[in-house]
Amino acid sequence: MKKYKKWLAVMMTSFFVITSNLGIVPVLANPVQYEEGTATTVNASAADVEAEKAGDNTEDTLDITGGVYDRLTTLANPEDEEIPVTGVALDRNTLALTKDSTATLTAAITPLNATNKTVIFASDNEAVATVTGAVYDELTGTTNVTVCAIAAGSARITATTADGGKTSTCDVTVTDQSITKSFVILTDHKLVRDGGVSASVQIDLAEGAEPHSGEETVVFQLMKDNVPITLSAWVRDITSQEKITGYFNVDPADTSYTVKIYVLDRFDTDITEPIRLAESVTLK
């Protein structure tokens, strides 16, 4: 048997050498195309690929028509095959907001490589909370939307996939501010548009209000068409009137940019979590 295998190996080698010298390239039957995780395209016969996937081959890799099929690589579906959505999930199921505040909801669909990744958001009570500015993030494969608190009450936000109608919900509760503000924000409500966008405000102690103990955080939130873009923050122990300026390097001619300013009891990237120590203002 060993002699037979050796003879067969010699004959196969001779066949490939002879055909190569004659300029004839052997073609495998039933060619199929797969894509590796590195986006490298390789060709193989259907039988060879199935054998490799089943682990019937003795080699870790299989050389096929100039490419390499690696059994450890997860193969993608052929380009012409649509992958249906099987579900969608929001990053939170409940959300507590105060009037005039905003928060971000994030929807993730499954599977991540679904063909149609469109997610549609809706509020069942727009008098209380609305949704705006849905944006798909190619890096994470998720869709973000801004929830805006309009008035005290309850609303349900529903995320629905365009493919399959899969849904996920978040119950929103909006309340009025119940604490007496310790500070007031003084401003002319105008942005300076010169080489970018800058907002200057003066923070002052509110008359008759209970003073806040410790440091405060002044947050400048850049908005575009009422959708939060980014923010900058300054931590201060405000004991008297203080002027603070926030600057953003954006197109000053784009009037859709506005800046919203908050005074909070602490810093948090989710500005709905800290306590607000002053009524927010918007500069345009």
Side-chain angles (χ1 to χ4, degrees), residues 109-146:
I109 65 169
T110 51
L112 290 177
N113 62 338
T115 302
N116 188 345
K117 300 178 177 64
T118 303
V119 179
I120 302 165
F121 298 83
S123 169
D124 70 348
N125 190 353
E126 293 191 340
V128 171
T130 61
V131 287
T132 184
V135 177
Y136 175 70
D137 187 335
E138 292 186 3
L139 185 63
T140 62
T142 58
T143 302
N144 299 318
V145 71
T146 300

Side-chain angles (χ1 to χ4, degrees), residues 27-32 34 43-51 62 64-65:
V27 178
L28 297 174
N30 303 318
V32 293
Y34 288 86
N43 294 307
S45 73
D48 284 331
V49 170
E50 290 305 315
L62 181 65
I64 304 170
T65 63

Side-chain angles (χ1 to χ4, degrees), residues 220-268:
F220 292 77
Q221 185 175 51
L222 180 68
M223 315 280 285
K224 183 176 176 62
D225 294 324
N226 294 321
V227 177
I229 302 298
T230 187
L231 57 81
S232 59
W234 281 257
V235 178
R236 297 281 196 276
D237 185 3
I238 303 174
T239 57
S240 61
Q241 189 177 99
E242 185 169 351
K243 182 178 181 179
I244 302 176
T245 299
Y247 172 80
F248 298 96
N249 186 21
V250 295
D251 182 6
D254 189 341
T255 57
S256 64
Y257 284 114
T258 58
V259 177
K260 200 166 186 176
I261 297 97
Y262 305 85
V263 179
L264 309 175
D265 70 331
R266 68 184 190 281
F267 176 74
D268 195 307

Side-chain angles (χ1 to χ4, degrees), residues 6-252:
K6 183 175 182 181
W7 174 83
L8 180 60
V10 171
M11 291 299 292
M12 290 297 292
T13 302
S14 300
F15 169 74
F16 278 95
V17 171
I18 293 170
T19 53
S20 297
N21 290 336
L22 293 176
I24 302 173
V25 178
V27 178
L28 297 174
N30 303 318
V32 293
Q33 191 173 70
Y34 288 86
E35 185 175 282
E36 293 184 6
T38 57
T40 301
T41 300
V42 297
N43 294 307
S45 73
D48 284 331
V49 170
E50 290 305 315
E52 184 69 14
K53 290 166 67 177
D56 294 337
N57 291 304
T58 58
E59 301 295 331
D60 286 338
T61 58
L62 181 65
D63 292 320
I64 304 170
T65 63
V68 177
Y69 168 83
D70 186 346
R71 72 155 61 99
L72 300 179
T73 301
T74 301
L75 297 179
N77 285 274
E79 292 182 0
D80 59 348
E81 180 180 342
E82 289 196 2
I83 304 172
V85 172
T86 59
V88 63
L90 290 170
D91 61 335
R92 60 181 101 185
N93 300 119
T94 60
L95 180 61
L97 297 174
T98 54
K99 181 182 175 182
D100 297 326
S101 65
T102 61
T104 299
L105 281 179
T106 301
I109 65 169
T110 51
L112 290 177
N113 62 338
T115 302
N116 188 345
K117 300 178 177 64
T118 303
V119 179
I120 302 165
F121 298 83
S123 169
D124 70 348
N125 190 353
E126 293 191 340
V128 171
T130 61
V131 287
T132 184
V135 177
Y136 175 70
D137 187 335
E138 292 186 3
L139 185 63
T140 62
T142 58
T143 302
N144 299 318
V145 71
T146 300
V147 180
C148 304
I150 306 301
S154 300
R156 171 167 288 185
I157 307 301
T158 301
T160 306
T161 63
D163 176 16
K166 308 299 182 181
T167 62
S168 182
T169 61
C170 176
D171 291 323
V172 180
T173 301
V174 179
T175 58
D176 289 319
Q177 287 280 11
S178 59
I179 65 170
T180 301
K181 306 299 187 297
S182 301
F183 301 92
V184 291
I185 302 174
L186 307 176
T187 176
D188 60 2
H189 297 276
K190 294 181 180 179
L191 293 173
V192 176
R193 299 177 180 272
D194 184 11
V197 171
S198 61
S200 295
V201 296
Q202 290 190 20
I203 312 298
D204 202 358
L205 302 177
E207 290 187 14
E210 183 177 346
H212 176 255
S213 177
E215 294 181 329
E216 296 80 34
T217 300
V218 180
V219 175
F220 292 77
Q221 185 175 51
L222 180 68
M223 315 280 285
K224 183 176 176 62
D225 294 324
N226 294 321
V227 177
I229 302 298
T230 187
L231 57 81
S232 59
W234 281 257
V235 178
R236 297 281 196 276
D237 185 3
I238 303 174
T239 57
S240 61
Q241 189 177 99
E242 185 169 351
K243 182 178 181 179
I244 302 176
T245 299
Y247 172 80
F248 298 96
N249 186 21
V250 295
D251 182 6

